[in-house]
Amino acid sequence: MKIIVLGTGYVGLVHAAVCSEYGHEVYAYDNDAKKIAAFSSGQSEQIETYVNEPGLTNIIKETLGKYLFFSTDLKSLIEGTDAVFLCLPTPPNLNGSTNLVFYDAAAEYLAEIAAARQSKDKRIVFANKSTVPIGTARHLQEIMNTHKVENFGVASNPEFLAEGTAVNQARKPDRVVVGCDHEADFRILRRVYSQFVNHVRIKYIETTPETAEAIKYVANTMLLTYISFWNGVGAKIGEKFPNVRIDDLRMGVTSDDRISKWGSFVSNGAGGSCFGKDIASLIYQLRNMNVSTKMLEASYEVNEYQKVYLIERAVTECGFKFNNKTVAVLGLAFKKHTNDMRDASSIKVIESLLGKGVAKIKAYDPLANESARAVFDPSKNILFEKIEYYPTAKAAIEDSHALFVSSDCEEFRGLSRTVEDTVSPPYLVIDGRRMIPDFDDIVSKGYGYLAVGSMFMKPDAEN
Ligand SMILES: NC(=O)c1ccc[n+]([C@@H]2O[C@H](COP(=O)([O-])OP(=O)(O)OC[C@H]3O[C@@H](n4cnc5c(N)ncnc54)[C@H](O)[C@@H]3O)[C@@H](O)[C@H]2O)c1
């Protein structure tokens, strides 16, 4: 099949690469010429500046120029195309609704070009991979009709990948959801996804465009609600009731097959580009239908509160004074195996620390130091000048008074030894991910340990 992928961000680039791996002829288009130049170079360093996903660069290197092509000229690509996947950003507006400015601009441009194509006898499907409000495929159809595009269909084909494991998930998704109005369009998309149709494990779900759009929102808000349940209920039980062990509580509860293990690990909130904006958008969409959204609002609020409350606990429970202190913040991206800083908990953590008057923040992430620099741009906020970036956790911890673990990078599991080797008590370890299994060791040596889901472990000298 000849495929165009419109928008080469996390979703578009992974989709383009994996489709090319399956032997489709894939043309990836973006209006950001620098991105396209970087991806066309086939060089790991250049590709990973934009999208750093395990396994992705290898696929691009293998298929580039054979099945995978990058371009900034959409007009030259359209003839003979079977399907166009729209993978555009859909950020939130201040009121929570979805901002369709990028989507609409791209769709209008695509419509203009599609209307002028020569190969009108060939049916073309425009499929939304972006997460868009229920009814947007219909809106896309109207845009195409306004431009008098002929012989086309619209589809909703939501993306469910999780960053950090995106390539594996695109190769072996749990499900592929395809919403169309016409059998001819289902047929085209079945050929695109032929490896998944009739698969023994992967569910290939064909439905209406509106249902497909709704599936994406319900799935994402369900996931965030489950995470918020554990943070808002499980973690609080562990923090307030003496002698409750959160890890045993979690295991006891999730041993029931009906209750998911995924999402039960308490944390300083879930970040990433999607959860927050998708739940805000669904709240907005439901309110417009006069539906009460209290449950979704609570999920959202718990998640936001969770990102910073450990800093308040450090003050009230541990008596720690942040003013003029140096604090190491470890784990800047929203999770391990990615350099994506969008809505990362570390942003709220760092802003909160700066608000408490810290002298310096020593930041470290194995992949995201550079993308963090762009987020904490001192020209936007002079306080960001207090942030310094280090190549290792050890270097960040040196000469600090406290550290905050804000993501789940595996290397943080060995932090107790790094702490012991690098700084002396009094010292406070704040663990937003419960990453330090042997915290008893450091507590017995005089370090304080404050983790989500547990009461403060006072250093032994104070016990
Ligand atoms: N990132 C995820 O984990 C994830 C997962 C599932 C769904 N989604 C959804 O997929 C969509 C895309 O997300 P993303 O993370 O890939 O976004 P992104 O910001 O990483 O990428 C979007 C790309 O679109 C390009 N673009 C913007 N306007 C354009 C235009 N007019 N013409 C051509 N290209 C244009 C940008 O340059 C960028 O490369 C969003 O709706 C998001 O909610 C994201």
Side-chain angles (χ1 to χ4, degrees), residues 320 326-330 393-394 396-404 419-420 422-430 442 445-450 456-457 459 462:
F320 191 84
T326 296
V327 180
V329 177
L330 310 177
K394 186 174 168 59
I397 292 169
E398 263 163 18
D399 299 325
S400 65
H401 301 98
L403 71 81
F404 194 115
V419 167
E420 274 180 50
T422 316
V423 279
S424 309
Y427 190 88
L428 179 63
V429 174
I430 309 172
I442 49 172
K445 287 174 185 148
Y447 301 85
Y449 180 72
L450 177 72
F456 174 44
M457 308 283 168
E462 289 180 33

Side-chain angles (χ1 to χ4, degrees), residues 13 58 72 122 155 201 244 250 266 304 335 352 395 447 454:
L13 190 63
N58 282 348
T72 50
K122 183 166 190 176
R201 191 189 55 80
V244 171
R250 183 177 52 72
V266 296
E304 291 307 301
K335 65 175 178 183
S352 175
Y447 301 85
S454 301

